[in-house]
Each structure stands twice: as structure tokens, then as C-alpha cells.
Amino acid sequence: MIYITGDIHGNPTRFSTPYFPEQKEMTKNDYVIICGDFGLVWDYKGESPKEKYWLDWLNEKPFTTLFLDGNHECFARLNSYPVEDWHGGKVHKIRDSVIHLMRGQVFEIDNKKIFTFGGASSHDIRDGILEPDDIRIKIWKRDYSKLFRINGQSWWKEELPSKDEMKEGLKNLEANNNKVDYIISHCTSSSLAAIIGGGLFEPDVLTDFFQKINETVSYKKWFFGHYHIDRQINPENICLFEQIIRIS
């Protein structure tokens, strides 16, 4: 079985048994996939007590937790984990059964081919990215009207992909004849982002990359998070937030 859901931002309580009773019938060979903004590899100083508690809690669940990166991850820490091969693609194992699905990979899970590509542009940075020694930080932290992040502490440039990651993604898709069962990402293509945001979201290198994939790759469903809504945009493209749905 494969279930999928949207952003959890460091709070996996939706996987408590009362909210997700389906887990009673699941094993470690069944999976829950989180479409980015996992948020439990977040503290730039290292794994916090809160993170340790929830990561251990997830690891003890009967199912295996898989997640993509979003734009709210500590990429310095996330990318420090050893790269391993798993089900045909590259991963970072945070715990034995809490696994980061890396960008541009094609995994075979439950007899389904799944292309994964995390990342997104942050939209909560209207007032900019500040360096850690910027004197405005103390003042702005008390001003809730300010939307800013701190470089290396709450924002990382790796939220958007490198050219190599995009090349690897295209190469892996070509190796599968540009045909997969599912595409899972954090954000979506430029055209669908425009529909969701009514022009609020500007295209970027990643949404344009997804636009190309949408036009050249055959897939059954494309699942993504990021926009904090549960909405089927069209028959093939589904945005997830709090809803947990079964896909296999």
C-alpha cells in the first residue's frame, strides 16, 4: 500500500492512529509519502529534542515514512546524510524507516514507477533574506508584519534545484522512456501554479522545469504540496495538504 499527503512542517500528528486508522493494517513494506516541507530536519544547530522525538515516533510506526524536500528544510543537514540506493533511486535515510527521496529519481515501489523531485521557491520572504549578523533581525522578530528568513538558519539557496539535479531528473526519465505511473513533487508547473494562485506565484526555474516535464512525460497522476490546499486541479494533477489518500 502507498498513501500520500501534503506538508507536515514538523508536525506528524496526522499519522496518529485515531486520525489514520488505516495503519492498523500496514507493515514496513507499506508507505506514506509526504510531498515536501517535512520539517523534521530543520534546526540548523543539529537534531533538536523535538525532532528526535518525532523522528523516533515515526520510525516506530508500522509503515515506512518517505518524504520529499520542500522549501522549509535545513538543506545543510539534509544533504549531509550519506546517499544510498533504495528501490532504484537515491535516498537519504534519516532513520531506518524515515527516508528522504532525492530529486530527479525514479523509484519502483509497490510495482509502481514514481518520479520524485522536491524543492520550491519560498513565498514568505517578502522582506528579504538576511545574513545572520544583520542588526534588523532582533527588531523584525518582534514585528509580525515582517516576512523574512535568515540565510543558513531558516533559508537555504538549495531550495531550488541545481542544473545537475535537473539534468539527472531528465536522464532518469529518459531511461524510463519518459513514462512513469506517478510524479510527486513539492511545487507544480508554472501553468498550474498560475491557476492555483491567480497570478500570485511567479514562475521560476523549477516551475518552468516542471512545465517541460508535464508536456513531455506520460504519467497517470501528479501529486504535489506547497500551496496548503487539498484540491484536484484536473483529472491528473492533485494538490495535497492535510488529506491522506491511498494511491496504491
Side-chain angles (χ1 to χ4, degrees), residues 99-111:
I99 300 171
H100 171 227
L101 305 178
M102 294 177 67
R103 297 174 180 175
Q105 307 301 304
V106 176
F107 297 94
E108 187 159 340
I109 304 172
D110 201 20
N111 295 314

Side-chain angles (χ1 to χ4, degrees), residues 46-92:
E47 188 172 283
S48 68
K50 177 184 175 183
E51 289 175 353
K52 182 180 187 306
Y53 172 84
W54 285 118
L55 288 168
D56 290 344
W57 183 83
L58 283 173
N59 199 48
E60 292 169 3
K61 283 290 179 181
F63 54 84
T64 294
T65 300
L66 309 175
F67 71 95
L68 280 67
D69 53 275
N71 54 295
H72 290 90
E73 321 288 358
C74 176
F75 287 97
R77 279 183 55 204
L78 189 59
N79 292 331
S80 71
Y81 285 87
V83 176
E84 301 183 33
D85 291 322
W86 184 86
H87 284 251
K90 297 176 183 177
V91 301
H92 295 120

Side-chain angles (χ1 to χ4, degrees), residues 130-135 137 150-153:
L130 304 185
E131 293 301 319
D133 59 354
D134 196 305
I135 61 174
I137 292 174
I150 302 171
N151 189 20
Q153 295 184 8

Side-chain angles (χ1 to χ4, degrees), residues 202-230:
E202 293 289 334
D204 57 46
V205 64
L206 182 52
T207 63
D208 286 347
F209 174 71
F210 287 153
Q211 190 69 38
K212 178 180 179 180
I213 288 176
N214 191 51
E215 295 166 359
T216 58
V217 175
S218 173
Y219 60 91
K220 296 175 182 176
K221 299 287 184 183
W222 186 328
F223 300 96
F224 56 95
H226 189 50
Y227 304 98
H228 290 197
I229 56 171
D230 289 295

